[in-house]
Amino acid sequence: MKIKALFICLSIVFTITLNAQDFQAPLTEKEKTEVVDSVSSILNKRYVFPDIATQISNILHKRSKAGVYKEVKDPNEFASILTEDIRSVNNDLHLRVSFNPDMIAEQKNTVTPEDSLAFIKKQQRFGQLSNHGFKEVKILDGNIGYLNLTGFHQVDEYAGATAEAAMNFLSNTDALIIDLRNNGGGSPSMIQLISSYLFDSEPVHLNSFYYRPQDEITQTWTLPYVPGKRRPDVPVYVLTSRQTFSAAEEFSYNLRNLERATLVGEVTGGGAHPGGTVIATDRFTVWVPSGRAINPITKTNWEGTGVKPHIEVPAGDALVTAQINALETLLMNAPEDDLFKYEWALKGLQSELHPVTLSAEQLQRCAGQYGPRNITYKDGTLFYQRAGNPEHALVAMSEELFRIPEIPYFRLKMIVKNGKVVGLRG
């Protein structure tokens, strides 16, 4: 597979040299016409819905002949206007025209094996800088795994190894939260890999895609083998927002319809048409959706509608809501030895979601020196400090119970007698 990928890159053997002044050249009427003609032609050949492509082409030519684009001088503005026009028919958010001379020149000037290898290394470096989409992996209070995934990168030896490390790090948790609130999409291959950890070794049909240029349907199934531990029974939560788009929506939609995850957050962006960037002219590209998803269960997809979560809350509340739901679910079947762990974490989260507000008088009565521990009141907040240690702000869970957000396992209980605080219990 690696040899094939390299061969494809080495097959780019043509060259068109553009210099810096070409990039900055004024936008002429001739170039506008060329862009409209080229974009129309590409859509008519590649866009997943031929009838829609015809409608878009007619609109672009009609507006061009009517002089709508005549006063546009800035190339980026022209690209934005064309994007609005091509989306006006069916609001396909994947469709877009871009002014991209640097990228075009780089691709067209990749003429030698050395150039191609440099291009591959640049792509690999891009993946490294974003850690292949794996922004954060950690264990939350209550032994809940958390994965913040900002993109589904194409699985290669580097992205695959990162995914393997992340999923195995989380393999001993009692529940798993996958955060896609800032995930704009990517490759189905990473969807396949991560999903495979969530099912047993029996193949599961995740999704299908119809591609117009090839006039064929492809299917994606879970993998028969993954490096590490499978978690077919762990409760899974997927966090979504309006920014969750494309491949991130596919992952959410797949797991929702397979009844493998609980979705928490907002309805997603609504883009179900895969495709890629096509060079239209020496300075403009068009992103063309050439396929459409066909879910094996619903026989349709999320285009234009988005994926609806099971628990609909503002994106900012999705994580704590998922944590609470996970802990409540775990408590229902937990062995006695685990009850305290889940209840402890749950009470802290509930106080975060529904904060307790105490008056200045209630807070001030807690201030004082308690052996090596000191509590001070400053600007409406209590601060806790043990001798020789850093100071921490306290958050009220009740009139007598407080927590420190950055130390989730720690609570502070006020000992009250006759209405007065006489001591502390940590």
Side-chain angles (χ1 to χ4, degrees), residues 221-270:
W221 294 68
T222 55
L223 300 168
Y225 167 79
V226 293
K229 185 177 176 182
R230 292 180 182 270
R231 305 299 309 281
D233 300 318
V234 69
V236 178
Y237 295 81
V238 177
L239 309 186
T240 62
S241 75
R242 293 194 232 358
Q243 281 69 52
T244 306
F245 195 67
S246 194
E249 295 180 276
E250 184 202 334
F251 183 84
S252 306
Y253 194 81
N254 293 351
L255 295 189
R256 191 189 205 289
N257 287 291
L258 288 166
E259 298 182 356
R260 185 60 189 90
T262 300
L263 274 56
V264 183
E266 299 170 343
V267 177
T268 62

Side-chain angles (χ1 to χ4, degrees), residues 69-87:
Y69 310 131
K70 190 174 182 61
E71 300 302 320
V72 182
K73 305 298 182 185
D74 179 76
N76 287 296
E77 181 186 358
F78 182 54
S80 296
I81 293 172
L82 288 181
T83 298
E84 290 179 11
D85 288 344
I86 64 177
R87 288 179 178 176

Side-chain angles (χ1 to χ4, degrees), residues 26-62:
L27 187 62
T28 64
E29 292 305 308
K30 179 183 177 183
E31 184 178 17
K32 293 177 194 176
T33 300
E34 289 174 349
V35 173
V36 167
D37 289 344
S38 181
V39 168
S40 297
S41 176
I42 290 168
L43 292 178
N44 281 322
K45 290 177 182 177
R46 301 180 64 88
Y47 187 52
V48 63
F49 300 119
D51 55 334
I52 299 296
T54 300
Q55 292 180 52
I56 293 172
S57 176
N58 291 340
I59 287 174
L60 293 181
H61 283 110
K62 181 178 179 180

Side-chain angles (χ1 to χ4, degrees), residues 57-256:
S57 176
N58 291 340
I59 287 174
L60 293 181
H61 283 110
K62 181 178 179 180
R63 289 174 65 80
S64 178
K65 291 177 181 178
V68 174
Y69 310 131
K70 190 174 182 61
E71 300 302 320
V72 182
K73 305 298 182 185
D74 179 76
N76 287 296
E77 181 186 358
F78 182 54
S80 296
I81 293 172
L82 288 181
T83 298
E84 290 179 11
D85 288 344
I86 64 177
R87 288 179 178 176
S88 65
V89 176
N90 64 340
N91 197 34
D92 187 333
L93 299 180
H94 272 116
L95 276 168
R96 60 184 177 272
V97 177
S98 301
F99 178 66
N100 222 340
D102 292 311
M103 184 272 283
I104 295 169
E106 182 177 15
Q107 287 195 16
K108 289 188 173 181
N109 284 320
T110 304
V111 295
T112 67
E114 290 77 13
D115 291 334
S116 297
L117 290 172
F119 180 78
I120 292 171
K121 288 181 179 179
K122 183 176 180 179
Q123 294 301 106
Q124 290 174 347
R125 181 57 180 158
F126 173 78
Q128 291 173 345
L129 290 172
S130 62
N131 200 38
H132 307 287
F134 291 82
K135 184 179 178 70
E136 189 176 13
V137 185
K138 61 183 178 181
I139 311 298
L140 302 174
D141 201 19
N143 197 33
I144 297 176
Y146 174 78
L147 168 60
N148 185 355
L149 191 63
T150 58
F152 287 88
H153 287 223
Q154 177 71 30
V155 174
D156 57 17
E157 61 179 308
Y158 305 104
T162 305
E164 175 188 346
M167 297 306 291
N168 282 298
F169 176 82
L170 299 168
S171 65
N172 294 309
T173 56
D174 297 330
L176 176 61
I177 296 174
I178 301 176
D179 192 345
L180 304 183
R181 288 176 292 178
N182 294 300
N183 192 313
S187 170
S189 63
M190 184 60 77
I191 294 174
Q192 180 186 40
L193 176 57
I194 295 176
S195 299
S196 298
Y197 280 93
L198 307 179
F199 296 90
D200 60 29
S201 57
E202 189 70 25
V204 175
H205 189 182
L206 297 172
N207 203 9
S208 297
F209 285 97
Y210 167 74
Y211 290 96
R212 181 190 167 196
Q214 297 83 13
D215 191 26
E216 67 178 15
I217 293 177
T218 64
Q219 296 181 345
T220 305
W221 294 68
T222 55
L223 300 168
Y225 167 79
V226 293
K229 185 177 176 182
R230 292 180 182 270
R231 305 299 309 281
D233 300 318
V234 69
V236 178
Y237 295 81
V238 177
L239 309 186
T240 62
S241 75
R242 293 194 232 358
Q243 281 69 52
T244 306
F245 195 67
S246 194
E249 295 180 276
E250 184 202 334
F251 183 84
S252 306
Y253 194 81
N254 293 351
L255 295 189
R256 191 189 205 289

